[in-house]
């Protein structure tokens, strides 16, 4: 009732007063995270001042905060008609469209914004993220670089580091130098916690903390869930620090598997670091690396005496405060360490796939052509990868290529992918493109359309390869010179298909064609997977968690011994 009275009173104000009143009141609600109240206030303002750029921008933010990206797009488009030259409105429109899956239209909006004002570091960063969604990693790197030239920003620099892994632009040594430079630039002046007495504690069980924004419907959940489920509670207490903006049913399931759960989404880096320190965590595990919404600036404050990175990022973070990166000798062979990088090698594989098993893929049927497939994010579709896959298709004239990725939902992105193959002489109708499917069962059912999986490079698949193998689809992978380019070897060795690991593109093409031309070779590989992967090292959660826990115990014991020796 009070809101109705207040909104009625707005009619007595001048447009300028309406804009100021609604803007400040709406901002108050936005800061509190009350997006519904913010929407009410801001809508009232926009209704009376349709041309107000700040009101429309904040109303768009309130709608996005509620997961209503399409509504935000409509509001911002209407405002843009009143303010056709506004770089800010076009940038916000681009963000709303990108969040709504309108990746091509978002790209156009970002371009309009940058034409109006090229010196927008935040817009350049967001446009770079959108370009990754379009599969244009090289252009994304350029946008991140331009953004950083205008303004140093830790998250933009992290976006650039991640994007470099999708390209062939940097050697492993150069990547390592870039990560160390990130740490020097953004963490050198941060305060560190003192753990001088932590190593002498005799607390049992050990407190292990996991920090991640991806404790939700996300690939990381497929690998952390079996560990949370299998942890020996007589030796470990599990703390999860979840920076999850929109919790879902997976979040709820993971929360039930945790001894202590902290919603980190509203905590600053200082506040989260203090909470972890106060919880007296022994070993803190980063599951994100330089991916979206990471909390590496928390790790830089060293809130726990021992800190490790694992699972969510294919490289070391650059932080000296992270003591180890967990891997195995196949993904990171002995001698592959870069300066300043400390690896702790688990028995291969260095992860455990725990997604619920679905019915196996059906055998090849004559109703469709032979199909190569990849369900990797199209950001991994590098120019070299496209060229090699096109060569396979030219030599297999009656085969098709099935690609499935969220970005392909956008017709303009799908058109561009077909054009990339057309540049290599592959007709568009031979490239079958599918977008996101929300149902996990529906997504996995698409593997029935695939005869042979083709792994991407230089950034290989992980979850997608595990999914394919679990569905009985053999995957061909190319071995490279870094973790991101070698993880396929770990996965295929874990299920006994090491013969599908090759060391050069010529062998990759030859083996793909052998599987295409020789039904016996393909059937042998599929037969190997016909009993599923549940009892292989890749999906044996008991075996893996015991090895993981043994590593954690040893790491902690070494830390205690080091402090005792120093004393």
């Amino acid at each position: 009732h009070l809101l109705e009275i207040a909104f009625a009173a707005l009619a007595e104000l001048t447009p300028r007063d309406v804009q100021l009143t609604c803007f400040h009141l709406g901002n108050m609600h936005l800061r509190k995270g009350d997006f519904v109240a913010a929407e009410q206030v801001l809508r009232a303002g926009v209704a009376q001042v349709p041309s107000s750029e700040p009101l429309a921008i904040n109303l768009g933010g309130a709608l996005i905060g509620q997961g209503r990206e399409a509504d935000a797009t409509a509001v911002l488009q209407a405002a843009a008609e009143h303010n056709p030259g506004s770089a800010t409105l076009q940038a916000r429109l681009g963000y709303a469209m990108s969040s709504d899956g309108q990746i091509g239209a978002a790209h156009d909006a970002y371009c309009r914004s940058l034409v109006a004002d090229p010196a927008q570091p935040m817009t350049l960063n967001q446009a770079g993220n959108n370009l990754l969604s379009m599969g244009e990693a090289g252009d994304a790197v350029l946008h991140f670089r331009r953004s950083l030239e205008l303004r140093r920003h830790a998250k933009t620099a992290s976006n650039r580091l991640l994007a470099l892994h999708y390209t062939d632009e940097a050697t492993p040594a150069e990547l390592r130098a870039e990560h160390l430079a990130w740490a020097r630039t953004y963490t050198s002046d941060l305060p560190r916690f003192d753990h001088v007495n932590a190593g002498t504690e005799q607390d049992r069980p050990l407190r292990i903390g996991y920090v991640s924004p991806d404790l939700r419907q996300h690939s990381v959940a497929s690998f952390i869930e079996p560990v949370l489920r299998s942890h020996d509670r007589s030796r470990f207490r599990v703390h999860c620090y979840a920076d999850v903006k929109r919790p879902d049913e997976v979040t709820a399931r993971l929360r039930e598997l945790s001894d202590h759960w902290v919603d980190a989404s509203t905590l600053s880096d200082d506040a989260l670091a203090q909470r972890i320190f106060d919880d007296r965590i022994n070993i803190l595990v980063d599951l994100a690396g330089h991916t979206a919404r990471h909390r590496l600036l928390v790790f830089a404050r060293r809130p726990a005496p021992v800190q490790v990175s694992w699972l969510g990022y294919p490289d070391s973070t650059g932080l000296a405060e992270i003591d180890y990166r967990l891997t195995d000798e196949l993904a990171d062979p002995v001698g592959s360490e870069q300066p300043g990088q400390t690896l702790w090698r688990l028995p291969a594989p260095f992860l455990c796939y725990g997604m619920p098993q679905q019915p196996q893929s059906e055998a090849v049927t004559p109703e469709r052509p032979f199909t190569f497939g990849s369900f990797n994010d199209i950001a991994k579709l590098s120019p070299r990868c496209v060229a090699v896959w096109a060569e396979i298709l030219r030599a297999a004239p009656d085969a098709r290529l099935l690609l499935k990725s969220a970005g392909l939902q956008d017709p303009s992105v799908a058109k561009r992918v077909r054009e990339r193959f057309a540049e290599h002489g592959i007709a568009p109708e031979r490239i079958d493109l599918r977008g996101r499917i929300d149902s996990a069962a529906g997504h996995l059912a698409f593997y029935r359309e695939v005869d042979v999986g083709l792994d991407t490079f230089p950034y290989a698949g992980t979850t997608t390869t595990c999914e394919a193998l679990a569905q009985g689809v053999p995957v061909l992978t190319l071995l490279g010179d870094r973790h991101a380019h070698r993880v396929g070897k770990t996965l295929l060795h874990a299920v006994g298909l090491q013969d599908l690991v090759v060391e050069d593109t010529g062998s990759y093409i030859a083996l793909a064609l052998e599987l295409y031309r020789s039904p016996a070779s393909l059937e042998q590989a599929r037969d190997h997977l016909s009993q599923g992967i549940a009892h292989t090292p890749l999906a044996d959660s008991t075996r893996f968690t015991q090895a993981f826990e043994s590593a954690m115990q040893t790491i902690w014991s070494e830390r205690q011994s080091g402090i005792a020796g120093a004393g």
Side-chain angles (χ1 to χ4, degrees):
H1 181 64
L2 289 174
L3 279 175
E4 290 176 1
I5 295 173
F7 293 157
L10 291 177
E12 305 300 322
L13 302 177
T14 66
R16 181 178 180 278
D17 289 335
V18 169
Q19 176 171 293
L20 287 173
T21 301
C22 291
F23 178 81
H24 289 300
L25 186 55
N27 258 356
M28 180 187 72
H29 290 305
L30 287 173
R31 284 195 297 270
K32 292 191 301 181
D34 191 343
F35 299 115
V36 173
E39 179 193 354
Q40 288 182 297
V41 172
L42 294 165
R43 272 200 189 280
V46 168
Q48 295 194 45
V49 193
S51 62
S52 173
E53 180 178 324
L55 289 181
I57 287 172
N58 283 6
L59 176 55
L63 293 166
I64 290 173
Q66 298 175 62
R68 295 163 57 192
E69 289 83 2
D71 290 341
T73 296
V75 166
L76 293 166
Q77 282 178 320
E81 293 177 4
H82 292 283
N83 303 274
S86 170
T88 303
L89 263 176
Q90 290 296 333
R92 298 301 173 89
L93 178 60
Y95 181 79
M97 287 176 160
S98 184
S99 301
D100 192 38
Q102 301 180 53
I103 301 171
H107 176 69
D108 293 340
Y110 283 130
C111 287
R112 290 192 296 270
S113 179
L114 291 169
V115 166
D117 180 6
Q120 300 179 79
M122 181 178 293
T123 302
L124 285 162
N125 176 56
Q126 292 172 347
N129 284 327
N130 192 67
L131 282 163
L132 277 181
S133 299
M134 297 173 66
E136 303 290 349
D139 286 344
V141 170
L142 293 176
H143 277 66
F144 295 138
R145 183 177 298 144
R146 286 169 54 201
S147 177
L148 291 167
E149 289 169 354
L150 294 168
R151 181 194 63 171
R152 292 195 316 178
H153 192 273
K155 290 296 178 72
T156 301
S158 287
N159 289 341
R160 178 174 171 271
L161 291 176
L162 175 62
L164 282 170
H165 289 86
Y166 296 108
T167 75
D168 289 307
E169 291 187 18
T171 66
E174 290 168 340
L175 282 171
R176 182 60 181 160
E178 294 276 9
H179 286 76
L180 292 172
W182 181 91
R184 287 195 304 271
T185 302
Y186 299 106
T187 72
S188 58
D189 59 347
L190 294 176
R192 269 69 172 175
F193 285 91
D194 183 2
H195 299 282
V196 66
N197 296 317
T200 61
E201 293 180 358
Q202 297 302 313
D203 290 342
R204 290 296 183 269
L206 281 178
R207 298 182 182 94
I208 184 167
Y210 296 101
V211 182
S212 175
D214 301 321
L215 301 178
R216 54 188 173 85
Q217 186 68 46
H218 187 276
S219 58
V220 165
S222 300
F223 300 98
I224 190 61
E225 181 170 354
V227 177
L228 297 183
R229 192 178 300 279
S230 302
H231 260 313
D232 181 352
R233 291 319 202 266
S234 69
R235 296 192 297 144
F236 291 88
R237 283 290 179 268
V238 174
H239 295 243
C240 286
Y241 301 92
D243 190 0
V244 179
K245 290 178 66 177
R246 297 179 186 172
D248 55 22
E249 66 279 2
V250 175
T251 307
R253 194 166 67 236
L254 297 177
R255 183 170 188 159
E256 288 297 314
L257 295 174
S258 306
D259 298 308
H260 302 276
W261 183 276
V262 174
D263 177 7
S265 64
T266 61
L267 298 180
S268 67
D269 289 335
D270 280 326
L272 179 54
Q274 186 66 54
R275 175 60 188 267
I276 293 167
F277 181 78
D278 291 343
D279 287 343
R280 296 167 64 216
I281 297 299
N282 300 115
I283 301 175
L284 191 66
V285 184
D286 168 51
L287 300 177
H290 286 277
T291 60
R293 292 182 62 81
H294 71 71
R295 303 304 292 266
L296 290 179
L297 297 183
V298 170
F299 281 80
R301 291 162 165 83
R302 194 178 273 284
V306 177
Q307 303 188 144
V308 304
S309 64
W310 174 56
L311 198 60
Y313 189 65
D315 211 330
S316 292
T317 61
L319 286 176
E321 291 76 20
I322 291 185
D323 303 291
Y324 301 101
R325 176 164 67 87
L326 304 182
T327 183
D328 62 45
E329 64 180 2
L330 299 178
D332 290 277
V334 175
S336 64
E337 295 88 346
Q338 297 295 328
Q341 180 182 61
T342 304
L343 303 178
W344 188 282
R345 294 179 177 85
L346 299 168
F350 67 92
L351 45 71
C352 176
Y353 178 63
M355 192 167 183
Q357 301 297 301
Q358 300 291 332
Q360 287 271 312
S361 300
E362 297 174 357
V364 178
T365 61
E367 286 76 20
R368 61 169 174 79
F370 188 98
T371 302
F372 295 103
S374 175
F375 292 4
N376 281 284
D377 192 308
I378 57 170
K380 296 183 179 182
L381 200 59
S382 67
R384 186 162 59 105
C385 193
V386 170
V388 169
W389 290 0
E391 188 169 344
I392 293 170
L393 291 175
R394 285 197 301 271
D398 60 346
R400 66 170 179 166
L401 176 64
L402 172 60
L403 303 180
K404 182 179 178 298
S405 178
L408 296 173
Q409 198 77 27
D410 188 304
S412 65
V413 176
K415 180 175 181 290
R416 175 55 188 143
V417 169
R418 287 194 173 94
E419 289 172 347
R420 292 173 66 185
F421 280 93
E423 291 168 3
H424 294 277
I426 304 302
E429 59 268 19
R430 297 185 64 194
I431 310 298
D432 188 358
L433 304 179
R434 308 295 178 92
R436 176 181 174 84
I437 296 177
D438 290 330
S439 161
H443 164 72
L444 293 174
F446 263 95
Y447 282 102
R448 296 173 181 170
E449 298 290 317
V450 179
D451 298 304
V452 175
L454 297 179
D455 201 3
T456 48
F457 49 87
Y459 199 151
T462 301
T463 307
T464 49
T465 297
C466 291
E467 288 176 347
L469 296 172
Q471 295 306 303
V473 178
V475 179
L476 173 59
T477 193
L478 176 64
L479 196 61
D481 61 357
R482 64 202 70 183
H483 180 101
H485 206 340
R486 298 182 62 90
V487 67
K489 180 175 184 177
T490 284
L491 304 179
L492 288 167
H493 272 249
V495 298
L497 287 178
Q498 53 267 31
D499 290 345
L500 298 185
V501 182
V502 297
E503 298 189 358
D504 57 76
T505 55
S507 300
Y508 186 100
I509 294 167
L511 184 51
L513 293 175
E514 178 187 337
L515 294 171
Y516 160 73
R517 291 169 178 157
S518 171
S521 297
L522 176 58
E523 195 61 31
Q524 182 179 4
R526 295 181 72 93
D527 282 347
H528 185 82
L529 296 170
S530 63
Q531 300 304 311
I533 64 170
H535 301 293
T536 70
L538 183 59
D540 187 342
S541 60
T542 300
R543 169 199 167 277
F544 176 80
T545 305
Q546 287 174 348
F548 181 87
E549 290 177 339
S550 177
M552 295 300 100
Q553 292 277 185
T554 303
I555 287 171
W556 183 248
S557 296
E558 289 188 359
R559 206 271 180 185
Q560 289 180 299
S561 298
I563 288 183

